[in-house]
Amino acid sequence: MKTPYKDIYSVLKLNRFIVYTVVIAAAIVSVVSILLVIKQHKQMTENAFAISTEGSVIPLKLVSQYENLEVEALSHLKLFHKYFYDIDATNYERQLEKALWLGNSSVDALYRQKKADGVYNRLLQYSLVQKVTQISSQVNIQKEPYQFETTIIFEINRGAVIDRYELISTGSLIHVDRSFPNNTHGLLITNYFEKSLRKLEMN
């Protein structure tokens, strides 16, 4: 004898099959969409495009950030040491302001210590000129924070007398947001320390 319950069970099974099919299809579409977005994003970050004089699009391969990191780190360190140590009575405030953008509180603490010791007052009082002549840095970019050691040679012009010094500094570099024009490399000096200072014999 045929009952209506068999028809209800058949309808329920069909409905369940349809629901499962829709859910599985939606999941597959979502996964495929995510993979395509990831692939497209990767391609976009690895390539740039330029327009030729004829109007055609030319793909340009971008160099990875890792390959640029050492160059940017060395440039950042050179810029900082130039700002912080290449000073005279007329430009030291402007130079130090730029230098403070490139380091954290460890740089600020050293600046305040030098100020308390009267370093900048002597620049004004005796019209001294402190000129950096050489900057050489080594950076380990294998792991962040990136450890560095920098050697700078600078001269202090006291008018009739010129004294020459070698300063070795150490510290670390970390990534921060780029800030134009204050911090164009997107790096920040931390744990900054003046390791040694010695007077050199003039040739």
Side-chain angles (χ1 to χ4, degrees), residues 96-112:
L96 292 172
E97 181 182 357
K98 293 177 181 178
L100 291 174
W101 277 98
L102 307 180
N104 73 346
S105 57
S106 61
V107 173
D108 183 65
L110 179 60
Y111 158 70
R112 292 179 184 276

Side-chain angles (χ1 to χ4, degrees), residues 10-111:
S10 298
V11 171
L12 290 175
K13 286 182 180 179
L14 179 61
N15 287 344
R16 185 168 58 182
F17 174 76
I18 293 173
V19 170
Y20 285 160
T21 303
V22 170
V23 170
I24 293 173
I28 293 173
V29 170
S30 298
V31 171
V32 172
S33 298
I34 292 172
L35 292 176
L36 288 175
V37 169
I38 293 173
K39 181 180 179 182
Q40 186 177 12
H41 179 265
K42 186 177 180 181
Q43 289 177 343
M44 289 179 65
T45 55
E46 290 180 349
N47 294 275
F49 299 91
I51 305 298
S52 69
T53 54
E54 292 80 17
S56 59
V57 179
I58 305 172
L60 301 174
K61 193 74 175 176
L62 293 178
V63 180
S64 69
Q65 286 189 347
Y66 184 80
E67 293 173 341
N68 282 333
L69 178 57
E70 185 173 10
V71 175
E72 291 213 63
L74 293 175
S75 180
H76 186 86
L77 291 171
K78 183 176 182 179
L79 199 60
F80 166 76
H81 287 87
K82 187 77 172 175
Y83 285 152
F84 201 76
Y85 296 101
D86 197 278
I87 54 177
D88 58 43
T90 63
N91 74 356
Y92 79 96
E93 290 183 331
R94 183 172 63 255
Q95 291 284 90
L96 292 172
E97 181 182 357
K98 293 177 181 178
L100 291 174
W101 277 98
L102 307 180
N104 73 346
S105 57
S106 61
V107 173
D108 183 65
L110 179 60
Y111 158 70

